[in-house]
Amino acid sequence: MEDNLQNPQDYSQMMPDYSYYDPYAIRVSFGRRLGAYLIDYLIYSLILMILLFATGKFDEILSISNNGSLDLNAMLEISNSITPLALALSLIYYSLEAFIGATLGKLTLGIKIASVDQTPAPLSKLLIRYFVKNISTVLATLGLLVSLFSSIGSILGIIVFIGFFFILGKKRQGFHDMIAGTTVFYNEDIIQPKNDEL
């Protein structure tokens, strides 16, 4: 029995296995992605306000609110004139994700969109992700041409909104990420391809 106690191989069977590796741990969490969205929303809102000032639409909004009475027709008219500007700005601003893999909010927080295998996402995946993520805005823009798309866009937008909460799951992927085969990583965790792989 003394020989068994001196043999370290027998004790190795009693040690806990610490070799578990969580492959999803390096993915960016919901909180940081929400922070990037809030930064983007602030930047988008500031640019929209500047455009409203530049086009004189802000003065129209103030004239309705300073009038003291609620003129629904005037409010609807201003809303109809502002909506195309807001939609166009949204499509342009958030298209940064499709072309550089990050918005200004993501860049500020040091995160970027990549393929699930941690390699830089190709343009095709980024465009699919952009379209799915912004389907409500894309179809609402098309809805200016055809009103049916606006209703469909709203329904799909609600589905995608619910899909944002999938980021809280273990894989930390939103619905739009799952469809496009992408997710968000810290910049330093993205594996760059070798020159011969390009």
Side-chain angles (χ1 to χ4, degrees), residues 97-152:
E97 283 188 331
F99 297 107
I100 64 171
T103 57
L104 297 177
K106 282 182 175 64
L107 291 173
T108 302
L109 296 181
I111 59 179
K112 195 170 185 180
I113 303 162
S115 292
V116 177
D117 62 359
Q118 290 180 258
T119 58
L123 180 62
S124 60
K125 283 187 176 186
L126 292 174
L127 286 171
I128 290 169
R129 182 185 191 277
Y130 169 79
F131 180 76
V132 172
K133 182 179 178 185
N134 297 291
I135 191 134
S136 179
T137 305
V138 170
L139 291 180
T141 302
L142 293 174
L144 292 173
L145 304 173
V146 181
S147 63
L148 176 65
F149 284 117
S150 181
S151 299
I152 294 170

Side-chain angles (χ1 to χ4, degrees), residues 51-122:
L51 290 174
L52 290 177
F53 275 115
T55 59
K57 299 293 181 191
F58 195 78
D59 292 334
E60 292 178 32
I61 296 169
L62 288 178
S63 69
I64 290 176
S65 62
N66 289 338
N67 190 3
S69 64
L70 187 61
D71 186 359
L72 293 177
N73 287 332
M75 289 174 60
L76 184 60
E77 187 177 310
I78 290 174
S79 175
N80 287 340
S81 68
I82 292 173
T83 300
L85 177 67
L87 288 173
L89 176 61
S90 178
L91 287 173
I92 293 167
Y93 179 78
Y94 290 104
S95 70
L96 287 171
E97 283 188 331
F99 297 107
I100 64 171
T103 57
L104 297 177
K106 282 182 175 64
L107 291 173
T108 302
L109 296 181
I111 59 179
K112 195 170 185 180
I113 303 162
S115 292
V116 177
D117 62 359
Q118 290 180 258
T119 58

Side-chain angles (χ1 to χ4, degrees), residues 12 35 38 41-42 46 78 113 188:
S12 66
L38 293 174
Y41 189 75
L42 178 66
L46 288 172
I78 290 174
I113 303 162
E188 60 270 8

